[in-house]
Amino acid sequence: MTIVLRNERRRERERMVRDQMRARGVRDERVLLAMTEVPRHCFVPASLQSSAYADDPLPIGEGQTISQPYIVAAMTEALRIRTGDRVLEIGTGSGYQTAVLAELGASVHTVEILPVLAEKARVTLGLLGYAAIRFRTGDGSEGWPSEAPFNAICVTAAPDRIPEVLLEQLAEGGRMIVPVGLTRQDLVFLEKGEGTIRRETLMPVRFVRMTGG
Ligand code: SAH
């Protein structure tokens, strides 16, 4: 089952990686391989599977969306995930970004506020054989203090401002990526080191809003 699912529609993923990622400057070969491996069509509703490798976000129910593939690749590349990294993801959604992080060998801790989506993602990721994932259903705006510190934090729902509490849960040398803003959103990258936080704005984006908090 797992092997069948993972090999399905590989050609489409190779094309997606070439046209949407390499062409736009994603360079990290490990990330590009992960994007080639993870079967995105398994994370979208059955009626949308034929669009799974298009250059778009797609609805996943409950008013939420799976991010555009390029954005997932760009965020993952920015986080510089190494094998064994402890990673926190806020906003499991479909579980697609979770799978990409797990594919890179991270130990992923993922939090989703909507139980229906959390359960669906858990089933999908289980079917695909991803074992090193810890799930929590609830409000992730406070992070996951008992599991901190993390080497990387990937936020996939947009808060109004950078959540300080998440920065506190970053390890020394840790990286965080978060879409920030109410009306206009920017993808912000932060890196913790030697007592300071380096901050860089990467690109304008449109994510669903972070709720809770
Ligand atoms: N990474 C996801 C993107 C999902 S969209 C994917 O690849 O499919 C963002 C998700 O964040 C939604 O599922 C939404 O319910 C969730 N979310 C919003 N606010 C949240 C919060 N405070 N805590 C946890 N999850 C939250």
Side-chain angles (χ1 to χ4, degrees):
M1 177 65 149
T2 300
I3 294 179
V4 173
L5 286 176
R6 289 176 65 100
N7 283 331
E8 265 175 18
R9 307 184 64 163
R10 201 183 168 89
R11 283 273 168 72
E12 288 172 72
R13 286 195 291 285
E14 287 169 354
R15 201 175 318 132
M16 169 188 83
V17 164
R18 187 190 65 208
D19 298 347
Q20 299 173 33
M21 291 156 201
R22 277 191 200 282
R24 289 183 184 131
V26 179
R27 290 279 172 268
D28 187 325
E29 291 297 333
R30 290 180 69 240
V31 172
L32 295 169
L33 181 62
M35 302 300 300
T36 308
E37 293 290 336
V38 179
R40 189 173 191 260
H41 64 281
C42 297
F43 294 85
V44 305
S47 60
L48 295 175
Q49 283 200 347
S50 60
S51 310
Y53 298 103
D55 194 14
D56 296 306
L58 291 170
I60 54 171
E62 309 283 311
Q64 307 303 318
T65 51
I66 179 172
S67 308
Q68 181 190 5
Y70 165 70
I71 295 291
V72 174
M75 288 174 78
T76 308
E77 180 175 56
L79 286 172
R80 304 197 310 268
I81 305 295
R82 289 172 290 241
T83 305
D85 271 358
R86 292 172 61 78
V87 179
L88 173 66
E89 179 191 31
I90 314 287
T92 317
S94 67
Y96 177 63
Q97 171 81 70
T98 323
V100 172
L101 295 166
E103 191 70 36
L104 287 164
S107 153
V108 189
H109 297 66
T110 185
V111 188
E112 170 58 51
I113 202 164
L114 298 174
V116 175
L117 295 181
E119 190 45 38
K120 240 192 241 172
R122 189 194 292 266
V123 170
T124 308
L125 290 161
L127 268 175
L128 290 169
Y130 291 105
I133 299 173
R134 300 246 340 248
F135 296 88
R136 195 158 75 77
T137 305
D139 181 5
S141 61
E142 299 292 314
W144 195 332
S146 63
E147 291 293 327
F150 299 99
N151 305 107
I153 300 180
C154 182
V155 185
T156 67
D160 298 354
R161 61 182 79 88
I162 293 168
E164 290 293 326
V165 58
L166 296 184
L167 286 173
E168 286 161 22
Q169 291 173 35
L170 268 187
E172 180 68 18
R175 292 84 57 203
M176 175 162 126
I177 194 135
V178 53
V180 185
L182 242 180
T183 43
R184 188 209 140 92
Q185 282 177 18
D186 281 309
L187 196 56
V188 177
F189 172 80
L190 303 116
E191 185 166 14
K192 195 185 226 179
E194 291 163 9
T196 63
I197 304 279
R198 181 175 77 83
R199 179 189 166 144
E200 194 182 327
T201 297
L202 299 185
M203 62 180 108
V205 283
R206 264 176 70 187
F207 276 78
V208 297
R209 306 230 353 105
M210 183 179 278
T211 56

